[in-house]
Amino acid sequence: WKGAPELSSSDGKFKFKVRGRLMGDFNSIDQDEAITGEPNVNGVELRRARLGVEGVVYYDWKYKFEVDFAGDASEVKDAYIAYANWADWEKSEILIGQFKTANSLEDMTSSRFITFMERSAFIEAFGIDRQIGTGVWAGDEHWSFQTGYFGGNTSNQETWFDSESTFSVRGTVAPINNDTTVVHLGANYRHRDAGTSDETGFAELFRYRARAADLHLADRFVQTPFIGENDDMFVLEGAAVYKRFSVQGEYAQLETNVAPGIAPGVKPTYNGWYIEGSVFLTDDMRNYEADEGAFGRVKPKNPVYGGSGGWGAWQLAGKYDVIDLSDGAAAINASGAPNAVMCEECGEQKTWLIGLNWWLTDYTALKFNVTQSEIEGGVNDGADITGFGMRAQIDW
Amino acid sequence: WKGAPELSSSDGKFKFKVRGRLMGDFNSIDQDEAITGEPNVNGVELRRARLGVEGVVYYDWKYKFEVDFAGDASEVKDAYIAYANWADWEKSEILIGQFKTANSLEDMTSSRFITFMERSAFIEAFGIDRQIGTGVWAGDEHWSFQTGYFGGNTSNQETWFDSESTFSVRGTVAPINNDTTVVHLGANYRHRDAGTSDETGFAELFRYRARAADLHLADRFVQTPFIGENDDMFVLEGAAVYKRFSVQGEYAQLETNVAPGIAPGVKPTYNGWYIEGSVFLTDDMRNYEADEGAFGRVKPKNPVYGGSGGWGAWQLAGKYDVIDLSDGAAAINASGAPNAVMCEECGEQKTWLIGLNWWLTDYTALKFNVTQSEIEGGVNDGADITGFGMRAQIDW
Amino acid sequence: WKGAPELSSSDGKFKFKVRGRLMGDFNSIDQDEAITGEPNVNGVELRRARLGVEGVVYYDWKYKFEVDFAGDASEVKDAYIAYANWADWEKSEILIGQFKTANSLEDMTSSRFITFMERSAFIEAFGIDRQIGTGVWAGDEHWSFQTGYFGGNTSNQETWFDSESTFSVRGTVAPINNDTTVVHLGANYRHRDAGTSDETGFAELFRYRARAADLHLADRFVQTPFIGENDDMFVLEGAAVYKRFSVQGEYAQLETNVAPGIAPGVKPTYNGWYIEGSVFLTDDMRNYEADEGAFGRVKPKNPVYGGSGGWGAWQLAGKYDVIDLSDGAAAINASGAPNAVMCEECGEQKTWLIGLNWWLTDYTALKFNVTQSEIEGGVNDGADITGFGMRAQIDW
């Protein structure tokens, strides 16, 4: 039993489990309408509503397939076939299908287990996501390695034809990984080619943008137009856990080649980074999965249910999260190229977050976030967006 | 086994069940084209095609998640987390997520177990549906209570931002509830605020409308434009069952505040009600669930399958269903306000239904409905819509 | 265990199984842009991403429900209720819901088990697909029979109102069906009425079209406009298997009545056919299911997994596939009727395919196709489209 039952044939030849998650959110956000022109938000949403399956056939052939139905739309998440167990490590898989490109510690950590409600701004801004392709994932008690070569993803699979491609590679080490202490170091790289549409020359370029206040119902006040033909990104990762204490940070830098029709020769360099720290008020600890180079499920020592007397795990956290999309804005705006666009919202966003997580049981949690973003540069310069978010989540 | 297997860990700490339903319909409807301008209908549809899961983790944390795929669209239905068993009643749950606002006996009764193919006109007209929020549901052998505070629902979760809210409360009693006799009395109330969109001022108002002939493929001949800023609804419920006989009725009244830009100071009062009676030709009986104040699964004493010799349960039913959306139409039409609209189809619809249900087994049924609606008032005044519907259904 | 576990109550009264499939594709296609104007394709997609359930309640009531999420859209596939076991044959079912109209041996064979990546051109061109209706499916060791009467399907269930209908009937015999040898002969017929929309008179007509190179990401270079009010199709089927060798072919002819407003009295006759042969390089064999008149799961004698030493089943195949949509094009183009349309792409497509299938285990496979299409007639006359496709698939 892992939330839902994990069924297994007696010889271990077949395994099967249904999986899924629900996250119900409330967001209240003051969007500084005087500057941004966007009204305040008081809204609810099902942030994630997923159902799927995972299993094994013939010992070594694994599959995982999950769909998200939030917002009454269906969006395929992990959907891959893997040939596993070809090396004597905890994880050794060759994957085909849709899966994460493996860029960033925080993106590799499931949305169920991240410390704040939303991931850091650079993850949305730099388009770190699942794509369709093939890859190799391997790892053991003190290291992990992931690489892949991809085309588009399920939402554009029938329209992004011509040679869209992504290559990614990531390595992590955990020199210390025991019951009280974890040290994680990692680095990863990604190159993307947008491909060009013969029809428009435009729609398939990359854009870069992030939501304010690190909350999902906020609008975006730093963003570029569709400009990039191809880009290169590298990310450095670090984290340490000592019993109930934890720090984590990442630095990401991305250089994009603006399409010549928009601004010839312009290559802005964008960057994003965050640093966060957390402490459990109860005698609990973050759970590290070295073979994926990611954090896993928080398992409260005293879960909350009738008669248990347990209070769950209480985690207090703080974070500073920066995304800077201002580089090259002047050059793009000054371009007289035929398809020139204006980089009006190409600014920087700095966000403070304070979070309180109540991990009720292994599978249920409540999260509370108080956040504040400041915008520098662009038309929203000086805007001060403050937000409050709550989440209830369960998975199975 | 409840259709699909209900899996449980040996200590009862975890439970899990897959659930779903299929309903295949045929509708044939004469829409009185001479008056309404709408052609006749002869069509088939998958009325409901749902798949989902429900379960328990750590004894007291329940979840339910179901998605409907009818029409090749995905629509999230129940999707909530509940903390249960906090009182010594049959049901005691605190819910977060998307679930019913608990207004109306018929709406609280699953679509699998209602007596006619479609619910009564006021349920669609007054927008009684699931929404995202938090609530408390409790109940025992002779009473039930539900209350909740909600924002929008999954279909508008990312667009209805500013303070859309709904409050609902319902109480029911069943002074008699035994193997031969049930008496149900209930009342409920709901207040909704539509919130206002800064961009349009229009799209987020409420409208009220219902399909003709109480059949799903019919068009709507009584309906208001988008007019309501906020509304208050109360509903009275009554039902009685004595062995194979049953009567049931509800009366709903809704007062809406028309937006000042449309017609200042106008507050129409709409109402809807129905009365139905049914009798089982076989020795079967409707099944009441007092802790939810709703009717449950019909379980034929002699189900139909090869070699059983059983004939299932045969139920004959009649109903009269009225929805009146005519109030205030003259005032709205006479308004000279800047955003004035015309209330051309603000009329009354009276519908007769005769139904025959063949409950084949606990999980399969065939339903047959013959229906007739008359329209009074509005541009469709005098229209006489007649329909025939058939349904085959299964659930698991 | 059939991929996923098949759960059954101890008395066999209930059964339940989760089902699904994933297919990840890569296509590289030279679309002869000089003639067709369409650029080359280098793309990936999740071709199929399905999740569903099947089961039995009360011994004789079966259900099957599956949804495809490829492309982040949801599309209902099989979704039916069946009353089974009413005759002493291997299969005897009365179906209600959405299921295949049973036209063509290749369409009745699951996409998991067909020999090439895509089905033959006439199956798309003539619109052989699932529809909503009722039918009878029966079969035994040496024969099968399917008939049904249908309305539309789930994607148009709420818009194709007026009397759209389809009737189909199919019979197959397998005079020889043993462990080494199979002979299959079949014939089927289908009549469709498009119904007419009162609003447009146009959108509900039938059109006929097929993708180039028998690959899914290719564009269509033979196609008619929306022209047909009703059509009649018959198909002849033949197949033979002797140990590792197999041949299979079908011939389909369709006559359509062009709407009078487009070209009065014009009744083009289109046809499509294919012949294919395959040989297993390993000691494996295609698996025939006589009671459905279709091919089933390939079960490699030596499946591939760690330590097994097995090499799976290797199958080499060749195919010639023709679709001719050229008939009547001159008459349609010459029509002076009020809603006249131009039949510019009404041509013929001839496709050669070579395929290599690596059936790794009962549930996993890799497929490789090299294909070439020639277009004759219409504006794409002389175009030569060549393609390469790869697929990885798993099902459970």
Side-chain angles (χ1 to χ4, degrees):
Chain A
W1 285 83
K2 296 180 176 176
E6 183 171 38
L7 303 170
S8 182
S9 61
S10 53
D11 56 1
K13 191 175 179 182
F14 294 98
K15 289 181 185 173
F16 179 76
K17 183 181 169 299
V18 174
R19 50 181 292 135
R21 71 190 67 169
L22 286 176
M23 298 183 182
D25 282 18
F26 170 74
N27 278 189
S28 178
I29 311 167
D30 179 333
Q31 300 207 102
D32 202 349
E33 189 171 0
I35 295 179
T36 66
E38 294 292 340
N40 297 345
V41 171
N42 283 287
V44 293
E45 68 170 344
L46 282 187
R47 178 66 177 90
R48 292 181 178 86
R50 295 191 192 168
L51 191 60
V53 294
E54 62 186 37
V56 175
V57 294
Y58 280 86
Y59 307 105
D60 295 332
W61 297 93
K62 299 171 69 173
Y63 59 89
K64 189 171 167 189
F65 177 36
E66 199 166 42
V67 183
D68 196 317
F69 299 103
D72 284 357
S74 55
E75 188 179 339
V76 175
K77 296 294 176 179
D78 277 335
Y80 62 77
I81 309 165
Y83 183 69
N85 311 324
W86 42 264
D88 194 24
W89 303 318
E90 287 188 10
K91 179 184 288 273
S92 60
E93 299 184 355
I94 299 169
L95 295 86
I96 301 184
Q98 178 162 283
F99 52 95
K100 289 179 178 176
T101 59
N103 292 100
S104 149
L105 167 60
E106 197 179 36
D107 192 61
M108 289 292 285
T109 300
S110 167
S111 63
R112 298 166 294 173
F113 311 139
I114 52 177
T115 303
F116 291 87
M117 287 173 64
E118 302 297 327
R119 294 195 178 91
S120 301
F122 81 87
I123 291 177
E124 182 192 2
F126 296 167
I128 299 170
D129 206 348
R130 291 175 181 84
Q131 295 182 226
I132 303 172
T134 184
V136 174
W137 283 27
D140 209 344
E141 204 183 331
H142 290 287
W143 61 274
S144 83
F145 174 81
Q146 301 90 23
T147 187
Y149 189 69
F150 305 87
N153 60 40
T154 51
S155 69
N156 62 18
Q157 66 180 33
E158 291 184 40
T159 54
W160 283 40
F161 280 176
D162 192 14
S163 305
E164 190 208 359
S165 68
T166 297
F167 167 75
S168 73
V169 59
R170 176 178 186 250
T172 73
V173 291
I176 307 175
N177 179 21
N178 59 43
D179 286 353
T180 60
T181 314
V182 176
V183 173
H184 165 99
L185 295 170
N188 62 75
Y189 167 79
R190 186 193 67 184
H191 175 82
R192 295 191 300 178
D193 272 300
T196 43
S197 156
D198 279 67
E199 296 171 39
T200 66
F202 240 63
E204 300 182 9
L205 299 175
F206 297 119
R207 71 170 162 190
Y208 310 91
R209 57 182 192 165
R211 291 185 187 277
D214 284 17
L215 287 172
H216 187 252
L217 290 179
D219 286 293
R220 298 179 182 96
F221 304 119
V222 292
Q223 57 184 328
T224 75
F226 287 99
I227 54 173
E229 275 196 336
N230 55 68
D231 60 27
D232 290 273
M233 178 184 72
F234 69 84
V235 182
L236 297 177
E237 314 168 356
V241 180
Y242 176 69
K243 293 181 175 173
R244 57 177 75 184
F245 300 93
S246 170
V247 294
Q248 178 178 328
E250 297 188 76
Y251 175 82
Q253 184 166 308
L254 178 144
E255 187 184 57
T256 187
N257 280 302
V258 176
I262 291 175
V266 177
K267 299 186 183 184
T269 297
Y270 302 138
N271 59 66
W273 59 274
Y274 71 90
I275 179 89
E276 69 182 42
S278 71
V279 55
F280 279 96
L281 307 179
T282 47
D283 184 24
D284 291 287
M285 185 176 158
R286 294 181 79 192
N287 187 3
Y288 181 70
E289 294 178 353
D291 62 346
E292 286 202 358
F295 284 96
R297 189 179 296 281
V298 173
K299 299 182 178 177
K301 286 186 182 165
N302 296 294
V304 178
Y305 56 88
S308 76
W311 279 93
W314 290 76
Q315 184 185 22
L316 191 61
K319 181 176 183 177
Y320 188 58
D321 179 24
V322 175
I323 179 74
D324 187 351
L325 304 175
S326 62
D327 191 52
I332 292 169
N333 287 336
S335 164
N339 298 320
V341 296
M342 294 303 288
C343 216
E344 292 177 336
E345 297 187 298
C346 297
E348 182 176 11
Q349 174 174 287
K350 298 174 179 175
T351 306
W352 268 105
L353 300 93
I354 294 175
L356 177 67
N357 300 328
W358 186 8
W359 307 93
L360 296 153
T361 73
D362 290 14
Y363 303 99
T364 48
L366 300 177
K367 293 185 173 185
F368 304 87
N369 279 189
V370 174
T371 70
Q372 181 191 35
S373 284
E374 288 182 12
I375 312 295
E376 293 179 15
V379 296
N380 298 311
D381 185 54
D384 181 13
I385 294 95
T386 55
F388 169 71
M390 288 196 321
R391 171 173 297 167
Q393 72 180 42
I394 196 166
D395 77 294
W396 57 86
Chain B
W1 285 85
K2 297 179 175 176
E6 183 170 36
L7 303 169
S8 181
S9 61
S10 53
D11 56 1
K13 190 175 179 182
F14 294 98
K15 291 182 185 172
F16 178 77
K17 183 181 169 298
V18 175
R19 50 181 292 135
R21 72 190 68 170
L22 286 176
M23 298 183 182
D25 282 18
F26 170 72
N27 279 189
S28 178
I29 311 167
D30 179 333
Q31 300 206 101
D32 202 349
E33 190 171 359
I35 294 179
T36 65
E38 293 293 340
N40 296 346
V41 171
N42 282 287
V44 293
E45 67 169 346
L46 282 187
R47 179 64 178 92
R48 292 182 178 86
R50 294 191 192 168
L51 191 60
V53 294
E54 62 184 39
V56 174
V57 294
Y58 280 86
Y59 307 104
D60 294 332
W61 297 92
K62 299 171 70 173
Y63 59 91
K64 190 171 168 190
F65 178 35
E66 198 166 42
V67 183
D68 194 318
F69 299 104
D72 285 357
S74 55
E75 187 179 340
V76 176
K77 296 293 175 179
D78 277 334
Y80 61 77
I81 309 165
Y83 183 69
N85 311 324
W86 42 263
D88 194 22
W89 304 317
E90 287 187 11
K91 179 184 286 275
S92 59
E93 299 183 355
I94 299 168
L95 296 86
I96 300 184
Q98 178 163 282
F99 52 95
K100 289 179 178 176
T101 59
N103 293 99
S104 148
L105 167 60
E106 197 179 35
D107 192 62
M108 288 292 284
T109 300
S110 167
S111 64
R112 299 166 294 173
F113 312 139
I114 51 176
T115 303
F116 291 87
M117 287 172 64
E118 301 298 327
R119 294 194 178 92
S120 301
F122 80 86
I123 291 177
E124 182 192 2
F126 296 166
I128 299 171
D129 205 348
R130 291 176 180 82
Q131 294 182 225
I132 302 173
T134 184
V136 173
W137 283 26
D140 209 343
E141 204 183 330
H142 290 287
W143 61 275
S144 84
F145 174 79
Q146 300 91 23
T147 187
Y149 189 68
F150 305 87
N153 60 39
T154 51
S155 69
N156 62 19
Q157 65 180 34
E158 291 185 40
T159 54
W160 283 40
F161 280 177
D162 193 14
S163 304
E164 190 208 0
S165 68
T166 297
F167 167 74
S168 73
V169 59
R170 175 180 187 249
T172 72
V173 291
I176 308 176
N177 180 21
N178 59 44
D179 286 352
T180 60
T181 315
V182 176
V183 173
H184 165 99
L185 294 170
N188 62 75
Y189 167 78
R190 185 193 68 184
H191 175 81
R192 296 191 298 177
D193 272 299
T196 42
S197 157
D198 280 66
E199 296 170 39
T200 66
F202 241 63
E204 301 180 11
L205 299 176
F206 297 119
R207 70 170 162 189
Y208 310 92
R209 56 182 192 165
R211 292 183 187 278
D214 283 18
L215 287 171
H216 187 251
L217 290 178
D219 285 292
R220 298 178 182 98
F221 304 119
V222 291
Q223 57 184 326
T224 74
F226 287 99
I227 55 172
E229 276 196 336
N230 56 69
D231 59 26
D232 290 273
M233 178 184 72
F234 69 85
V235 182
L236 297 178
E237 315 169 356
V241 180
Y242 176 69
K243 293 181 176 172
R244 56 178 74 185
F245 301 93
S246 170
V247 294
Q248 178 177 328
E250 296 189 76
Y251 174 83
Q253 183 166 309
L254 178 144
E255 186 185 58
T256 187
N257 280 300
V258 176
I262 290 174
V266 176
K267 298 186 183 185
T269 298
Y270 303 138
N271 60 65
W273 59 274
Y274 71 89
I275 179 88
E276 69 183 38
S278 72
V279 55
F280 278 95
L281 308 180
T282 47
D283 184 24
D284 291 288
M285 185 176 159
R286 296 181 78 192
N287 188 2
Y288 182 71
E289 294 179 352
D291 62 348
E292 286 202 359
F295 284 96
R297 189 179 295 281
V298 174
K299 299 182 178 177
K301 286 185 183 164
N302 296 294
V304 178
Y305 56 87
S308 75
W311 279 94
W314 291 77
Q315 183 185 23
L316 191 62
K319 180 176 183 176
Y320 187 60
D321 180 23
V322 174
I323 179 74
D324 186 352
L325 303 176
S326 62
D327 190 53
I332 293 170
N333 287 334
S335 165
N339 299 320
V341 296
M342 294 302 289
C343 216
E344 293 177 337
E345 298 188 296
C346 298
E348 183 176 11
Q349 174 174 286
K350 297 174 181 174
T351 307
W352 267 105
L353 301 94
I354 295 175
L356 178 67
N357 298 329
W358 185 10
W359 306 93
L360 296 153
T361 72
D362 290 15
Y363 303 98
T364 48
L366 300 177
K367 293 185 175 186
F368 304 87
N369 280 190
V370 174
T371 68
Q372 182 191 36
S373 285
E374 289 182 13
I375 312 295
E376 294 179 14
V379 298
N380 298 310
D381 184 54
D384 181 14
I385 293 96
T386 55
F388 170 71
M390 288 196 321
R391 170 172 298 167
Q393 72 179 42
I394 195 166
D395 76 293
W396 57 87
Chain C
W1 284 85
K2 297 179 176 176
E6 183 171 36
L7 303 170
S8 181
S9 60
S10 53
D11 55 1
K13 190 174 177 182
F14 294 97
K15 290 182 185 172
F16 179 77
K17 183 182 169 299
V18 174
R19 49 181 294 137
R21 72 190 68 169
L22 286 176
M23 297 183 184
D25 282 17
F26 170 73
N27 278 189
S28 178
I29 311 167
D30 179 334
Q31 300 207 102
D32 201 352
E33 189 171 0
I35 294 179
T36 66
E38 293 292 340
N40 297 345
V41 171
N42 283 288
V44 294
E45 67 168 345
L46 282 187
R47 179 65 177 91
R48 291 181 178 86
R50 294 192 192 168
L51 191 60
V53 294
E54 62 184 37
V56 174
V57 295
Y58 281 86
Y59 308 103
D60 295 331
W61 297 93
K62 299 171 69 173
Y63 59 90
K64 190 171 168 189
F65 177 36
E66 199 167 42
V67 183
D68 195 316
F69 299 103
D72 284 357
S74 55
E75 187 180 340
V76 175
K77 296 292 177 180
D78 277 335
Y80 62 76
I81 309 164
Y83 183 69
N85 311 324
W86 42 263
D88 193 22
W89 303 317
E90 287 188 11
K91 179 184 287 274
S92 59
E93 299 183 356
I94 299 168
L95 296 85
I96 300 184
Q98 178 163 282
F99 52 95
K100 289 179 178 176
T101 59
N103 292 99
S104 147
L105 167 60
E106 197 179 35
D107 192 61
M108 288 293 284
T109 300
S110 167
S111 64
R112 298 166 294 173
F113 311 140
I114 51 176
T115 303
F116 291 87
M117 288 173 62
E118 301 297 328
R119 294 195 177 91
S120 302
F122 81 86
I123 291 177
E124 183 192 3
F126 296 166
I128 299 170
D129 206 347
R130 290 175 181 84
Q131 294 183 226
I132 303 173
T134 184
V136 173
W137 284 26
D140 209 345
E141 205 183 328
H142 290 287
W143 61 274
S144 83
F145 174 79
Q146 300 89 23
T147 188
Y149 188 70
F150 304 88
N153 59 38
T154 50
S155 69
N156 62 18
Q157 65 181 35
E158 291 185 40
T159 55
W160 283 40
F161 281 176
D162 193 14
S163 305
E164 191 208 0
S165 67
T166 297
F167 168 75
S168 73
V169 59
R170 177 180 186 249
T172 73
V173 292
I176 308 176
N177 179 21
N178 59 43
D179 286 353
T180 60
T181 314
V182 176
V183 173
H184 165 99
L185 295 170
N188 61 76
Y189 167 78
R190 185 193 67 185
H191 176 81
R192 295 191 299 177
D193 273 299
T196 43
S197 157
D198 279 67
E199 296 170 38
T200 67
F202 241 63
E204 300 181 11
L205 299 175
F206 297 120
R207 70 171 162 189
Y208 310 92
R209 55 183 193 165
R211 292 184 187 277
D214 284 18
L215 288 172
H216 187 251
L217 290 178
D219 285 293
R220 299 179 181 96
F221 303 120
V222 291
Q223 57 184 327
T224 75
F226 287 99
I227 54 172
E229 276 196 335
N230 56 68
D231 59 26
D232 290 272
M233 179 184 72
F234 69 85
V235 182
L236 297 178
E237 314 169 356
V241 180
Y242 176 70
K243 292 181 176 171
R244 57 178 75 185
F245 300 94
S246 170
V247 293
Q248 178 178 328
E250 297 188 74
Y251 175 82
Q253 184 167 308
L254 178 144
E255 186 183 57
T256 187
N257 281 300
V258 176
I262 291 175
V266 177
K267 298 186 183 185
T269 298
Y270 301 138
N271 60 66
W273 58 274
Y274 71 89
I275 179 89
E276 69 183 40
S278 70
V279 55
F280 279 95
L281 308 179
T282 48
D283 184 24
D284 291 289
M285 185 177 160
R286 295 181 80 192
N287 187 4
Y288 181 70
E289 294 178 354
D291 62 346
E292 286 202 358
F295 284 96
R297 189 179 295 282
V298 174
K299 298 182 178 179
K301 287 186 183 165
N302 296 295
V304 178
Y305 56 87
S308 74
W311 279 93
W314 290 77
Q315 184 185 22
L316 192 62
K319 181 176 183 176
Y320 189 58
D321 179 23
V322 174
I323 179 75
D324 186 351
L325 303 176
S326 62
D327 191 51
I332 293 171
N333 287 336
S335 165
N339 298 320
V341 296
M342 294 303 289
C343 215
E344 294 177 336
E345 298 187 298
C346 298
E348 183 176 10
Q349 175 173 285
K350 297 174 180 175
T351 306
W352 268 106
L353 300 94
I354 295 176
L356 178 67
N357 300 328
W358 185 9
W359 306 93
L360 295 153
T361 72
D362 291 14
Y363 303 99
T364 49
L366 300 177
K367 293 185 174 185
F368 305 87
N369 280 191
V370 175
T371 70
Q372 182 190 34
S373 285
E374 289 183 13
I375 312 295
E376 294 179 14
V379 297
N380 298 311
D381 185 54
D384 181 13
I385 293 96
T386 54
F388 169 72
M390 288 196 321
R391 170 173 297 167
Q393 73 180 43
I394 194 166
D395 77 293
W396 57 87

